[in-house]
Amino acid sequence: MYKLSRVLLLLALTSLLVVGASAQEGGILIGTNFGGDPTTINPLLTNNTVDLSLTEFLFPNIYNIDPVTRAPMGGGRNDQDNGLALDWTLSDDGMVYTFTLRDDVTWNDGSPVTAHDYAFTFEALASGETSSPRGSVLQSVESVEAVDDTTLVVNLKLASCRALDELNDFGILPKHHIEPLIGGDFAEIDNLEFNKHPDVTSGVFNFGALVADEQTSMIRNDNHWMPVSPEGYILRNVPDQLVGIEQFLAGEVNSVGTAGSASVPAVRMQEFRERAEAGEFQIYEYVDDGLTFVGFNLADRSNPLDGLDEDGNPVDQGKHQFFGDIRVRQALAQAVSYVDIIEGAAEGEAVQVNSFGTPALWGYDPDIEPWEYNPDAALALLAEAGFVDHDDDSSTPLVATEDALYAEPGTEFAFELLTNSGNLVREAAGTVIQDQLGQIGIAVDFQTIEFGPLVTFLLGQDFDAIMIGFTNLAQDTDARNVFTPVGDTVGGGFNFVSYRNDRVTELYNEALSLPGCDLSERQALYHEISQILHDDVPWWWLFAPFSMYAESNAVQNWMPYAETRYANMANLAINP
Amino acid sequence: MIKYIARRLIQAIPTFFGITLLTYLLLWLAPGSVVERLYLAPNIKAETRARLAAQLGIDDPFHIQYLRWLAGDDWLRWDSDGDGIADQAFTPLVPLDEDGDGEPEPPGDNYGILRGDFGRSFVKKQPVMDVILTNLPATLELGIAAVVTSLVIGIPVGVLSAVTRGRSFDNNSRVLAVIFDAMPNFWLGYILLYVFGRLLDIVPIGGRCTANLFGECPILFERINYLILPTVVFAAGFVALFSRYVRTSTLEVLSQDYIRTARAKGLSPQVVNFRHAMRNAMIPVATLLGPIITNVWAGAIIIESVFSWPGVGRIAFTSAIQQDFPVVMGIVIFASLGTILGFLLSDILYVLIDPRIRID
């Protein structure tokens, strides 16, 4: 018995050693990247999820994002910790942020990461000489000062509750390395070899190699304060999603998609659930932070004008003959079955949204009742708006009577609905809309066109209705650029539907400049905005898709969150 | 012969410029831009997009953009005193201060295609030549493998079909040739990847090298398993093409008097078919080499995407989608030159193979 106990003890110790050794060795994490090569690995210049999938593991940020709440998070070390800020304060007048940074973070060449690095990065951005698209921070931030290595003072132009969000919109560059390379000319940042092969970094990985159209790799940074287990992380460049999924199922890669993208298509989700249930691999599902909608052009399409003149005064943009009338928009919102769109077009892998945003955003109000399919109510509203079935033939379009606000009497109710070709879900949803509106006498000329022309029509405000999607919505719910006249600029603004509601503008401004930026108080304001947007229907609120991560069983201790595939890289172990 | 080649090359110059002008015009006419492709988001202001467009020069009129690509812009706006600030401009085309902010725009630093400067990729921010040359070896590797495979298989199949005319080998090979010629190569690619990569697990599912931390790619011999499927798919259509041409040509040759004479002299069928008949039957193959080079470029766009093969076809596809003009134009130049030289090569081979033809 004694001998048996000793043998068992020995076996237990051996197995512990084996497990320990396996976790130490870590293996190599291999993901698939459907988005092409990174355009840059410079955290100031990044502009897509592929770039960000790399820079998030290579460069520090000013603070961390809580993977559960998606809120800014200061404080101590944790698994996904790349943030410098231990804490921060906001002055009583809401105009000055003061950050206290950690003093124990170093670049991989041994130099300390300091407040001067952040100030340098901001200075480069503010110069306007780089091709950085991350300029939104300049709307609210006047200047950034590094008081000493660990104290950063941010002076705002205006009290803005988005400022904190915007300050974290870019990773931090190593000043001591970049400054000598550019010789004081920030425009040179665009041309650095560093952008493709960043040699001085401060993340859990060091940069490995970029092989064009083939793979990008990162190698474990053993000098990081929280050394991770995987020896490295490789993103294989696979242009065809179908092929990438087969590579995953064949065990050639560990994940479908990059760290920053889910990438299991809706048509395969049920199959993946069943396979995961059978133990073939692991999955994690969540509601995406993007939504699909139809934007109604509320202004006169034949003469697109900015919403404000040079002095900031409202401009008369005319009215769209159909969608200028709120009753018509509300009628349409009740004229189509959302069940048919979600179950039929989106394969059931989506949830109906009630207003701007998705259930993934903190400003979203889940208590607002979404629009429901009620064709009788829709017809009654259309009749009230002056559109009637003049010949008792439902196969012919309704026509406008003298009661119509903006359409000439006798005008048939027919409009053009555009979406981008190649998106099968939107193409199917458009067909459902075309069919069901046709049943109540609205003729929809549904067209799928290439994305480039679609954007030109959209931003040029030259359309009747466009079905499109917003993805990666900001953590903050502020959407002034989308629903107030500030964003209503022909050719570039995102209020391309020319929506204007003074109460909404007022609420957005109030939520943005709320003293103290209390989240619950701001949430209440955004809920009020959401209710108005729901009722006004400037967009036809459709759905937010489900997203699914898939990870092979070789990846142990996997702990994903919505929008964060690897929240605990430090503890991941990859079985070779 | 040299005079002929020189004349053909000179004749190709207007064709070449016509191609570049037409391609640039088509790209320019396409709605949208690389800036809208890459930077379309509510949190990116319209002013930012306008600034980025100005940096890339894509907000200039067509003739300025094309001229800059063709002849560079160092003569449009330049710095005469060496202080790094432009102080002279070719004002009939561009002003010194274009945006009216009181400051001159930066001096031009592009030399243009006529002086060997292909420009820089809007997206990759690298010289276009570097972008293309990085991926060119992969395309050449695949293209050469496909052409050699198709010649090695297609020619004997064509000859054997001809000498066994009407028999089962001939009938089966002709049916297969029609099938493989008509079959979309992306579809064949998916099927082969699924069967041999996924179900049988005997070849990798796409790629050119095994993923590794240092981005190293061993010599071809050590990674031949990655090359097999894309070569088979690429070569399938070419085999069909070659075998049909060679069969028709061989049938024609086999009915010639000198073949009957050779047979009458008692030569073996192998010698008659493969030594006497095949050389003359090769003439149509030579004429196909020009179009084949064009087909390699075109086919690479699809096949490289399906098989995750890091070649020029992949760049062509993504650059066209992203409206990365300089890269698309660089690839068009390579493709145009390849096509022009391919057809020239066909003509030269024609002369070498067929002694009846003389170039004047």
Side-chain angles (χ1 to χ4, degrees):
Chain A
M1 188 66 188
Y2 174 71
K3 277 188 177 174
L4 181 63
S5 303
R6 282 179 61 183
V7 169
L8 286 175
L9 182 63
L10 191 63
L11 278 174
L13 284 172
T14 308
S15 64
L16 275 176
L17 282 172
V18 168
V19 169
S22 158
Q24 281 300 310
E25 287 170 6
I28 297 171
L29 187 61
I30 305 177
T32 43
N33 162 27
F34 303 122
D37 284 338
T39 55
T40 177
I41 313 171
N42 181 326
L44 183 63
L45 308 179
T46 51
N47 65 355
N48 62 48
T49 53
V50 178
D51 299 351
L52 292 168
S53 290
L54 297 162
T55 56
E56 73 168 292
F57 295 113
L58 294 169
F59 294 95
N61 276 76
I62 187 69
Y63 58 75
N64 296 311
I65 301 291
D66 186 311
V68 179
T69 64
R70 310 292 311 281
M73 185 176 79
R77 298 169 171 181
N78 59 44
D79 291 354
Q80 64 282 339
D81 198 344
N82 246 6
L84 296 182
L86 288 169
D87 198 5
W88 58 85
T89 58
L90 179 63
S91 64
D92 291 342
D93 63 357
M95 295 295 285
V96 181
Y97 274 107
T98 304
F99 290 87
T100 304
L101 309 185
R102 305 156 62 129
D103 60 2
D104 56 350
V105 185
T106 58
W107 298 100
N108 59 3
D109 63 359
S111 305
V113 180
T114 69
H116 297 284
D117 291 311
Y118 185 90
F120 170 76
T121 310
F122 179 84
E123 200 183 342
L125 179 66
S127 74
E129 293 173 16
T130 71
S131 63
S132 176
R134 313 209 156 264
S136 60
V137 66
L138 302 174
Q139 294 179 69
S140 51
V141 176
E142 178 71 39
S143 65
V144 170
E145 289 174 52
V147 176
D148 54 42
D149 282 358
T150 57
T151 309
L152 191 74
V153 173
V154 176
N155 300 299
L156 304 184
K157 289 176 184 169
L158 66 165
S160 166
C161 295
R162 280 211 69 174
L164 190 62
D165 186 38
E166 291 166 344
L167 284 167
N168 203 39
D169 194 31
F170 50 88
I172 299 169
L173 288 170
K175 179 184 179 184
H176 70 286
H177 182 67
I178 301 293
E179 198 170 39
L181 294 176
I182 62 172
D185 182 1
F186 286 121
E188 282 301 309
I189 285 182
D190 278 6
N191 304 320
L192 294 175
E193 180 63 17
F194 178 88
N195 300 343
K196 292 289 180 191
H197 302 279
D199 43 355
V200 178
T201 57
S202 175
V204 292
F205 293 114
N206 294 325
F207 183 71
L210 165 60
V211 184
D213 291 303
E214 200 161 354
Q215 66 157 55
T216 311
S217 63
M218 296 181 286
I219 302 169
R220 181 172 59 203
N221 177 6
D222 289 321
N223 295 321
H224 194 264
W225 66 78
M226 180 69 76
V228 295
S229 171
E231 287 172 51
Y233 181 23
I234 299 173
L235 284 180
R236 286 193 70 165
N237 193 333
V238 183
D240 192 314
Q241 193 183 38
L242 192 64
V243 175
I245 287 175
E246 292 307 318
Q247 287 185 348
F248 172 75
L249 294 175
E252 293 185 12
V253 296
N254 299 121
S255 64
V256 180
T258 64
S261 65
S263 299
V264 176
V267 292
R268 303 290 294 266
M269 282 185 180
Q270 187 53 35
E271 174 200 343
F272 268 57
R273 281 187 201 103
E274 289 164 9
R275 285 173 170 240
E277 186 72 26
E280 287 187 44
F281 45 76
Q282 313 164 77
I283 60 169
Y284 177 81
E285 296 185 69
Y286 60 94
V287 178
D288 198 87
D289 71 345
L291 80 159
T292 296
F293 62 91
V294 173
F296 293 121
N297 193 343
L298 311 188
D300 179 6
R301 171 184 178 171
S302 65
N303 183 28
L305 297 169
D306 289 351
L308 299 173
D309 64 17
E310 288 179 356
D311 300 322
N313 300 312
V315 169
D316 179 5
Q317 300 168 290
K319 292 287 186 183
H320 191 278
Q321 60 178 341
F322 306 126
F323 306 133
D325 188 336
I326 185 174
R327 294 169 296 183
V328 172
R329 303 197 300 269
Q330 290 177 337
L332 261 57
Q334 299 172 80
V336 169
S337 163
Y338 296 93
V339 173
D340 288 353
I341 288 180
I342 290 173
E343 295 299 326
E347 304 281 340
E349 306 293 359
V351 60
Q352 186 184 352
V353 293
N354 56 30
S355 187
F356 181 70
T358 80
L361 300 178
W362 61 263
Y364 186 78
D365 185 355
D367 295 330
I368 296 173
E369 285 296 323
W371 289 101
E372 287 182 0
Y373 181 41
N374 188 343
D376 293 335
L379 278 170
L381 264 174
L382 286 168
E384 188 186 322
F387 293 94
V388 296
D389 182 0
H390 67 298
D391 57 3
D392 285 334
D393 180 356
S394 61
S395 65
T396 58
L398 305 175
V399 293
T401 65
E402 290 184 345
D403 294 334
L405 284 179
Y406 308 113
E408 291 290 324
T411 305
E412 291 189 343
F413 200 146
F415 70 92
E416 185 184 75
L417 172 64
L418 305 177
T419 195
N420 56 307
S421 56
N423 186 314
L424 300 181
V425 173
R426 285 181 206 156
E427 288 179 8
T431 306
V432 171
I433 289 171
Q434 182 183 40
D435 178 53
Q436 298 195 351
L437 290 187
Q439 290 174 24
I440 64 164
I442 297 176
V444 180
D445 177 13
F446 176 50
Q447 296 180 32
T448 60
I449 58 175
E450 217 271 324
F451 189 71
L454 187 81
V455 169
T456 302
F457 287 125
L458 182 81
L459 297 183
Q461 302 186 3
D462 182 12
F463 64 93
D464 291 323
I466 281 186
M467 188 187 327
I468 198 167
F470 274 9
T471 55
N472 297 319
L473 294 172
Q475 295 143 24
D476 200 290
T477 309
D478 175 56
R480 278 172 310 154
N481 290 338
V482 183
F483 294 113
T484 74
V486 173
D488 186 3
T489 54
V490 179
F494 269 76
N495 185 2
F496 37 77
V497 298
S498 299
Y499 175 67
R500 183 192 303 162
N501 181 316
D502 292 341
R503 178 63 184 153
V504 168
T505 305
E506 187 184 325
L507 285 167
Y508 269 127
N509 290 336
E510 191 181 341
L512 197 68
S513 56
L514 192 73
C517 298
D518 181 80
L519 209 60
S520 59
E521 287 181 49
R522 293 183 68 207
Q523 194 176 43
L525 295 169
Y526 286 126
H527 283 184
E528 189 179 341
I529 293 172
S530 295
Q531 184 66 59
I532 298 172
L533 290 176
H534 165 271
D535 297 344
D536 281 357
V537 206
W539 289 6
W540 189 345
W541 316 107
L542 296 180
F543 56 84
F546 296 153
S547 282
M548 180 188 283
Y549 291 132
E551 202 76 13
S552 77
N553 288 334
V555 180
Q556 297 177 344
N557 309 325
W558 184 49
M559 190 194 291
Y561 294 94
E563 312 297 337
T564 310
R565 184 190 285 266
Y566 301 119
N568 64 332
M569 187 66 90
N571 297 324
L572 284 189
I574 320 295
N575 284 338
Chain B
M1 174 72 92
I2 291 172
K3 274 175 65 180
Y4 171 76
I5 293 171
R7 195 169 69 231
R8 284 286 302 271
L9 288 175
I10 290 168
Q11 285 170 348
I13 290 173
T15 309
F16 176 75
F17 280 106
I19 290 169
T20 64
L21 184 64
L22 197 62
T23 310
Y24 209 103
L25 185 63
L26 287 172
L27 288 170
W28 183 77
L29 286 173
S33 74
V34 65
V35 171
E36 287 175 3
R37 292 273 169 187
L38 299 182
Y39 303 109
L40 188 69
N43 64 335
I44 299 177
K45 295 174 71 181
E47 292 84 356
T48 305
R49 289 199 297 275
R51 178 174 59 79
L52 294 173
Q55 282 178 1
L56 297 175
I58 55 174
D59 56 350
D60 289 332
F62 170 75
H63 65 281
I64 298 289
Q65 289 191 47
Y66 182 70
L67 263 181
R68 185 190 299 123
W69 175 80
L70 191 69
D73 59 6
D74 58 330
W75 56 278
L76 284 172
R77 213 178 269 123
W78 67 96
D79 164 27
S80 63
D81 55 13
D83 62 358
I85 299 169
D87 47 32
Q88 303 286 330
F90 186 65
T91 49
L93 288 178
V94 295
L96 195 58
D97 172 19
E98 190 148 24
D99 53 15
D101 65 353
E103 298 287 331
E105 307 310 319
D109 56 2
N110 294 324
Y111 297 113
I113 196 79
L114 293 178
R115 287 181 284 170
D117 183 355
F118 281 61
R120 290 176 72 83
S121 162
F122 290 160
V123 178
K124 290 178 178 274
K125 315 279 187 199
Q126 285 176 280
V128 169
M129 191 59 98
D130 289 357
V131 173
I132 294 174
L133 291 181
T134 300
N135 285 33
L136 191 59
T139 296
L140 290 178
E141 189 174 290
L142 182 56
I144 291 169
V147 172
V148 169
T149 304
S150 55
L151 287 170
V152 167
I153 298 173
I155 292 172
V157 167
V159 173
L160 284 174
S161 289
V163 298
T164 60
R165 183 183 183 184
R167 306 219 297 261
S168 61
F169 181 86
D170 180 36
N171 293 335
N172 290 336
S173 67
R174 280 192 296 154
V175 169
L176 286 174
V178 171
I179 290 173
F180 280 108
D181 204 21
M183 193 180 287
N185 50 17
F186 71 88
W187 181 84
L188 180 61
Y190 285 138
I191 296 295
L192 294 185
L193 276 176
Y194 186 70
V195 173
F196 294 99
R198 175 94 165 77
L199 294 183
L200 302 178
D201 195 21
I202 53 178
V203 288
I205 303 176
R208 185 174 176 235
C209 312
T210 308
N212 65 89
L213 287 178
F214 302 100
E216 292 160 346
C217 197
I219 58 170
L220 180 59
F221 178 72
E222 293 175 18
R223 54 179 170 80
I224 201 83
N225 51 341
Y226 284 91
L227 189 62
I228 294 170
L229 287 190
T231 301
V232 168
V233 174
F234 220 147
F238 293 161
V239 169
L241 189 71
F242 283 134
S243 64
R244 287 166 61 194
Y245 267 77
V246 170
R247 178 184 178 276
T248 307
S249 171
T250 307
L251 282 175
E252 194 181 320
V253 170
L254 287 175
S255 64
Q256 299 290 313
D257 289 344
Y258 70 92
I259 295 294
R260 272 200 295 274
T261 305
R263 283 184 181 138
K265 284 163 63 181
L267 296 177
S268 70
Q270 285 80 4
V271 172
V272 172
N273 293 336
F274 287 95
R275 188 178 298 169
H276 292 264
M278 206 167 86
R279 185 180 176 199
N280 289 316
M282 286 300 95
I283 294 170
V285 174
T287 63
L288 283 176
L289 280 179
I292 285 291
I293 290 175
T294 313
N295 285 348
V296 166
W297 281 101
I301 292 174
I302 305 295
I303 290 174
E304 289 180 357
S305 294
V306 171
F307 287 95
S308 312
W309 193 262
V312 178
R314 285 270 295 283
I315 312 176
F317 181 72
T318 50
S319 301
I321 295 291
Q322 292 171 330
Q323 296 184 286
D324 192 349
F325 286 12
V327 176
V328 174
M329 290 305 296
I331 292 169
V332 165
I333 285 175
F334 269 75
S336 308
L337 289 176
T339 306
I340 289 168
L341 295 176
F343 276 98
L344 183 60
L345 184 68
S346 286
D347 289 350
I348 294 168
L349 284 175
Y350 210 82
V351 174
L352 295 177
I353 294 172
D354 189 347
R356 292 168 299 182
I357 296 174
R358 289 283 175 272
I359 288 174
D360 185 9

